[in-house]
Amino acid sequence: MLFLDDFYILQSPLAYEVKQLLPLPATIVFCSLTDHRFLPTLQTHLGNGSQQAVDKVGCSEVPCLLDDRLVIPLHVTSGESVAIVISDIDSTFLKKMSVPWLQKIQQTLPEQFKKVRLGYIDPETELYNSRAANDFLQHQGAGNPGFFFLLNTVFYRQTAAGNLQKMRETALFLQALTQCPCFSFGYGVFGLLLQVSNRGNVLKTAHYLQRQLKREGRNRVQIGFSQVTTAGKRQDPTVLDRFWRSLAIAEKRGPFGICDIDAIDEQRLHPFQLSQTDLLKKLSAKWRGGERFTLAAFALQSEARLSLKSDERIERSVPSNGVYFYGGENLALILFPEASPVEVSEDIEAIRSRCREYYGDKAVSIGVAAWPCLDFTKSAVPGNCLKALLHGSFLGEGSVVFFDHLSLNISGDFFFDEGDLRAAIREYRRGLRLQPGDVNLSNSLGVALVEYNQEGQAATCFQDVLQENPENYMALVNLGHVLYTLGRKEKALDCFDRAYRLLGPEEAAGQELFLPLGRLSAELGDHEKAVTIFEHWRSQPGSEKEFILYRLLGQSYLETGRMDEAIRACQRALHLFPQDSISLSTLGLLYVEQGEGSDIGLSLCNKALSLDHFNPDHWYRLSRCLLHIGSHAEALDAVRQCLRLRRNHIAGILQLGRIQQSMGREKQAEKSFLKALGMKVCSEKQAARVHQYLAEVTESTC
């Protein structure tokens, strides 16, 4: 099969196949006859005034000449059409090409393309392979190819077959999540070609992907990325090496680390570095040997339209105990060796007053930092001044900020957004040393520790916040997530419930609260409550795109007997993510138990198992289907497979008891129900159901 993306990702090898059929050298370009994210449309390629030519190609099933270009239309698997545009070839020769010969080429090329495509596809995931990625990154054409992500999605299963299945599942999920060309490098490493407009959006996309994969059970998602350069700028046969280096750095930054290799290779300065590399040497010469010093950074706002290099008024305002340094365009530094904090404050206020006279009230912002401070070296003090300036930018133009715990919170947030978790944790911890017990810092540190898979330490941070403020919404949500990860579900539910009570009826929460609260309520058997939570989530803007919401809503509707609504919810989930094995399995069970067709229901359950053979819930639902249609022996085999995969699967144990009861084995059924009742993971709601089943067994034996 051929897809439109093939003509973009595999443009070089496919163009080579076309050239092999031509007797003269030519330029080959592939164009879409409809709108497409990656391929240029034929009208765009031909230029303005070409709509008539495009209509001619669209209506024609045969190759045709447009001026000095030969256009060969082809149909792809999706039903869309692509055009092969052959140019830079003798027009006289083009006119001599016979129609039968061109039609033969048109018929031959798709089969040739399919054979070529096989060499660039990973057979396990059916994604493009590393060969395709390397070829594309070397030869892609002009335009805006976007950014290339290399993701390491770590997962561990006990068997090789389990790991392969998880890799296929991740591949399907990434395709549904991004709707972009995806690549498989094996061992859970994937590549994504994303057309994202700027670096800020790239970082947001990276964090979004990490969140989505984390909620699907991945405990490590590291991302290295780079902007894709157009052909001609970099002809490097080892172009993928840059992305592997980027991923290696991301791995060092933590389980959910991110790295932009462009920023490292091009030595881009982050906001806490001086642009003048030799300035630090000049400063060091002045503070060397001293026991203390203070440094102030003065930043002119752009609207001042002045340069501190050409304007000497700030320099003339420096007191006798200060030393002036030019720190780059619109930045000046003043060093106060051995000055006391009171003296520094007075001097800076005097300078600030003169700046207001010269430039206006809001033209100059000032960031101040001193040494000694915590574990900072002297050379880190200029960076602390810049952190204070960044802190001041949130307070408004013309502000004066002395470096403090809030400055460290802001710099920690910067490193967190950049994916450098180690640096973020270091900044938050320093901030807490300056201001022990600060709520924002404790919350921020806890979140960073969660991303570093340090749940125990993270829980301590959130508990510290709740000691100070028992109704801190984010601390409750975050602690709930940590407790759930640690297996303390009842306490996690209590945290989520307390957070939910703090929400107003119209307030949005989304995934951060509705997802874990609803899912945990369902896990503990309170499906009515789960329905209420998920319906609240569904009322929020943007929820219509959340396939997991409709998956969970369908399951909760099923358990509460609202079958028609459950079917619609599962169908909606599959519309958003057609390969969602859980929704497939749930919909199959609904079809069987609702009498919509046992054959189609069982086929959906089996399809779910083909996608994920190791999910015990799939075997449980298949067992329910088989029991409903009276296939007791097969139902028994299915539920036993469920319990082999998870011995404490409460619903599975109850299902085993129901099967035994229906087969007239009341004593075995009673034993199964009592076993479920005695398990620690059995919730109150589930225990109530067990007592109901036990009563039925007792009644049947009397």
Side-chain angles (χ1 to χ4, degrees), residues 388-531:
L389 279 175
L390 181 62
H391 176 184
S393 68
F394 291 91
L395 304 177
E397 297 174 352
S399 60
V400 178
V401 172
F402 285 77
F403 175 78
D404 61 5
H405 64 288
L406 294 178
S407 308
L408 285 165
N409 200 344
I410 291 168
S411 61
D413 290 345
F414 169 81
F415 287 119
F416 185 91
D417 291 340
E418 288 285 314
D420 193 345
L421 298 176
R422 295 172 66 182
I425 290 170
R426 182 179 64 242
E427 295 291 273
Y428 295 141
R429 281 178 168 157
R430 283 169 167 167
L432 284 169
R433 287 167 61 190
L434 286 177
Q435 188 71 24
D438 182 83
V439 169
N440 291 327
L441 278 166
S442 294
N443 251 331
S444 297
L445 176 59
V447 170
L449 288 168
V450 168
E451 295 297 289
Y452 216 77
N453 290 345
Q454 298 292 327
E455 284 82 6
Q457 295 182 45
T460 302
C461 293
F462 301 134
Q463 287 162 349
D464 289 344
V465 173
L466 292 171
Q467 269 193 328
E468 295 292 323
N469 180 8
E471 295 189 347
N472 187 288
Y473 171 80
M474 284 311 304
L476 285 168
V477 172
N478 290 329
L479 182 58
H481 280 286
V482 169
L483 292 172
Y484 181 81
T485 302
L486 296 173
R488 299 159 68 181
K489 294 184 179 181
E490 298 286 353
K491 290 188 176 181
L493 183 63
D494 177 64
C495 288
F496 291 138
D497 279 333
R498 288 164 60 190
Y500 188 67
R501 288 194 292 270
L502 293 173
L503 281 180
E506 303 299 323
E507 287 188 69
Q511 292 183 29
E512 71 188 31
L513 177 58
F514 292 141
L515 173 59
L517 175 56
R519 184 157 56 185
L520 187 51
S521 298
E523 281 184 29
L524 296 176
D526 195 347
H527 298 286
E528 292 286 355
K529 177 181 174 182
V531 167

Side-chain angles (χ1 to χ4, degrees), residues 351-656:
I351 298 172
R352 184 190 185 195
S353 298
R354 294 191 186 98
C355 289
R356 285 177 171 176
E357 294 176 10
Y358 299 150
Y359 308 115
D361 288 346
K362 297 183 178 181
V364 178
S365 296
I366 307 173
V368 187
W371 184 87
C373 176
L374 301 177
D375 58 344
F376 288 108
T377 62
K378 292 180 180 179
S379 59
V381 175
N384 289 345
C385 290
L386 297 177
K387 292 173 188 176
L389 279 175
L390 181 62
H391 176 184
S393 68
F394 291 91
L395 304 177
E397 297 174 352
S399 60
V400 178
V401 172
F402 285 77
F403 175 78
D404 61 5
H405 64 288
L406 294 178
S407 308
L408 285 165
N409 200 344
I410 291 168
S411 61
D413 290 345
F414 169 81
F415 287 119
F416 185 91
D417 291 340
E418 288 285 314
D420 193 345
L421 298 176
R422 295 172 66 182
I425 290 170
R426 182 179 64 242
E427 295 291 273
Y428 295 141
R429 281 178 168 157
R430 283 169 167 167
L432 284 169
R433 287 167 61 190
L434 286 177
Q435 188 71 24
D438 182 83
V439 169
N440 291 327
L441 278 166
S442 294
N443 251 331
S444 297
L445 176 59
V447 170
L449 288 168
V450 168
E451 295 297 289
Y452 216 77
N453 290 345
Q454 298 292 327
E455 284 82 6
Q457 295 182 45
T460 302
C461 293
F462 301 134
Q463 287 162 349
D464 289 344
V465 173
L466 292 171
Q467 269 193 328
E468 295 292 323
N469 180 8
E471 295 189 347
N472 187 288
Y473 171 80
M474 284 311 304
L476 285 168
V477 172
N478 290 329
L479 182 58
H481 280 286
V482 169
L483 292 172
Y484 181 81
T485 302
L486 296 173
R488 299 159 68 181
K489 294 184 179 181
E490 298 286 353
K491 290 188 176 181
L493 183 63
D494 177 64
C495 288
F496 291 138
D497 279 333
R498 288 164 60 190
Y500 188 67
R501 288 194 292 270
L502 293 173
L503 281 180
E506 303 299 323
E507 287 188 69
Q511 292 183 29
E512 71 188 31
L513 177 58
F514 292 141
L515 173 59
L517 175 56
R519 184 157 56 185
L520 187 51
S521 298
E523 281 184 29
L524 296 176
D526 195 347
H527 298 286
E528 292 286 355
K529 177 181 174 182
V531 167
T532 301
I533 300 300
F534 293 139
E535 287 181 340
H536 189 176
W537 184 5
R538 189 175 58 182
S539 69
Q540 304 301 311
S543 63
E544 67 279 357
K545 299 178 182 178
E546 293 285 355
F547 80 88
I548 196 171
L549 164 61
Y550 292 95
R551 172 212 284 175
L552 294 167
L553 194 53
Q555 291 176 315
S556 295
Y557 280 147
L558 165 64
E559 296 298 334
T560 53
R562 297 163 66 174
M563 301 302 191
D564 291 340
E565 292 172 281
I567 289 173
R568 288 195 294 271
C570 288
Q571 288 172 338
R572 174 63 181 169
L574 289 168
H575 174 75
L576 295 169
F577 184 13
Q579 302 298 322
D580 180 21
S581 63
I582 298 174
S583 296
L584 282 168
S585 176
T586 306
L587 186 60
L589 175 59
L590 284 162
Y591 281 160
V592 171
E593 294 190 344
Q594 279 296 93
E596 298 287 342
S598 58
D599 289 341
I600 187 172
L602 287 170
S603 69
L604 289 172
C605 287
N606 285 317
K607 183 178 179 181
L609 282 168
S610 71
L611 291 169
D612 187 355
H613 196 73
F614 299 91
N615 190 324
D617 294 333
H618 293 353
W619 289 104
Y620 161 72
R621 283 187 279 268
L622 176 61
S623 177
R624 276 183 61 171
C625 290
L626 293 167
L627 178 61
H628 187 84
I629 64 175
S631 298
H632 296 88
E634 292 179 354
L636 193 60
D637 288 341
V639 78
R640 282 173 174 166
Q641 179 62 24
C642 164
L643 294 173
R644 274 194 288 269
L645 291 168
R646 190 191 302 162
R647 280 187 255 178
N648 64 347
H649 195 291
I650 295 295
I653 296 171
L654 296 182
Q655 173 68 7
L656 175 61

